[in-house]
Amino acid sequence: FDRDALVYLAHRRGYRSGGFDYAATDTETFGPFKPEFVTDFELGLKKDWRLGDSLLRTNVAAYTQDYKDIQRFISRPGQPAVGVTNAASATISGGELELTFMPFDGLSLSGFYGLVFAEYDDFLTGEGDFSDNQFAQAPREQLSLSGDWRLPIETRYGNVHLRADWYHQTRVFYTDTAQGPDYGPAGSQYQKAYGLLNLSLAWNSIVGSDFDLSLFARNVGETKTKPFGVQLYRSLGYNISSIGDPRVIGLELNYRFNL
């Protein structure tokens, strides 16, 4: 519509080749398994809005994907190893919004919101029926806010930036299959919704030199997370998970070599 706007419609089709299951213990499960295919449509708008000396940039997109013969690692009854199988189908749809606002030189504010519905339409295996399960490690919603302020000091002293980042996501399951009362306590099957705040103070090109110094604090609120889990409830009677980083405060010094 104008030089500051881009409207697009994209159509893509991709695949992952099939193969044979190296972990199989008999000829029946050896394969082959089929290739998987995904057909995608995306509609988007990218536009800059000039508000006097300020600039607002917006990126908006909506998409839908038709996913067929999805390849997944699953446990097989009576066998110690996992194997590759084709989940029948899934539909993934969602949208994303990105905003960047620069009210004046030196200050940048940005935000992101993502919404995705990623669920299996049909996922039937020898272990059970997992249709309608959510995709593992795919939060329904993601939200982030950040701000970067370059302090108004003379450039001969370098550049000093204050930055804050906040990230939030909703619940994510650890696996595609272990979802429900048959797979142990609910809290051991997923990472619940959480938010993280990170802060930093960076001094780049210190007094015109090649040194950069930064003081940072990650997970300021000491949010407890379990980012990865292994589901062993049906075989051993328990599930296990890794523990995310606690609050971390650090000082970092870098030197840029000019070769």
Side-chain angles (χ1 to χ4, degrees):
F1 303 119
D2 58 64
R3 68 175 187 172
D4 291 328
L6 167 67
V7 179
Y8 67 90
L9 175 64
H11 170 53
R12 295 169 285 250
R13 180 171 170 81
Y15 79 97
R16 178 186 293 173
S17 63
F20 294 90
D21 189 352
Y22 64 86
T25 57
D26 54 55
T27 55
E28 182 179 350
T29 57
F30 181 65
F33 53 86
K34 297 183 291 185
E36 64 178 20
F37 294 89
V38 61
T39 303
D40 170 85
F41 291 92
E42 180 180 351
L43 177 65
L45 166 68
K46 300 177 183 292
K47 181 170 176 58
D48 290 345
W49 310 82
R50 304 182 186 277
L51 312 171
D53 294 331
S54 303
L55 174 65
L56 174 64
R57 172 165 293 172
T58 57
N59 297 329
V60 185
Y63 58 87
T64 183
Q65 300 174 346
D66 183 29
Y67 210 169
K68 300 293 187 184
D69 293 321
I70 307 167
Q71 297 170 12
R72 286 293 182 261
F73 282 96
I74 65 165
S75 300
R76 293 197 175 100
Q79 297 188 23
V82 296
V84 180
T85 190
N86 292 100
S89 63
T91 302
I92 303 172
S93 58
E96 296 178 349
L97 170 64
E98 293 179 320
L99 300 173
T100 302
F101 181 51
M102 291 173 281
F104 54 83
D105 186 36
L107 178 63
S108 176
L109 305 172
S110 60
F112 169 83
Y113 177 74
L115 175 66
V116 60
F117 297 90
E119 298 176 348
Y120 292 96
D121 298 326
D122 191 12
F123 189 0
L124 182 62
T125 74
E127 189 183 4
D129 186 355
F130 306 111
S131 303
D132 299 326
N133 275 16
Q134 296 182 30
F135 273 44
Q137 300 297 334
R140 177 69 52 85
E141 295 178 87
Q142 291 177 289
L143 173 66
S144 69
L145 299 171
S146 63
D148 187 286
W149 180 37
R150 186 181 74 248
L151 273 61
I153 62 175
E154 295 184 29
T155 55
R156 61 193 178 100
Y157 295 117
N159 297 312
V160 179
H161 288 256
L162 283 171
R163 184 175 181 86
D165 298 278
W166 179 74
Y167 170 79
H168 173 81
Q169 71 170 40
T170 55
R171 179 185 66 180
V172 291
F173 282 97
Y174 296 131
T175 71
D176 298 281
T177 54
Q179 301 178 20
D182 294 336
Y183 297 92
S188 69
Q189 299 174 22
Y190 56 78
Q191 165 61 56
K192 64 180 181 179
Y194 70 91
L196 293 176
L197 174 64
N198 300 320
L199 301 174
S200 66
L201 172 62
W203 186 7
N204 299 323
S205 301
I206 301 174
V207 196
S209 70
D210 292 320
F211 283 98
D212 299 330
L213 181 67
S214 65
L215 173 66
F216 60 85
R218 302 187 183 116
N219 190 7
V220 174
E222 292 190 292
T223 301
K224 297 179 180 179
T225 60
K226 299 179 293 182
F228 177 75
V230 179
Q231 309 304 95
L232 304 172
Y233 187 81
R234 299 190 75 179
S235 57
L236 299 178
Y238 61 86
N239 298 322
I240 61 176
S241 63
S242 61
I243 304 299
D245 290 339
R247 178 193 295 149
V248 177
I249 299 175
L251 186 67
E252 184 174 303
L253 178 66
N254 291 320
Y255 178 76
R256 299 186 304 278
F257 292 92
N258 298 313
L259 302 178

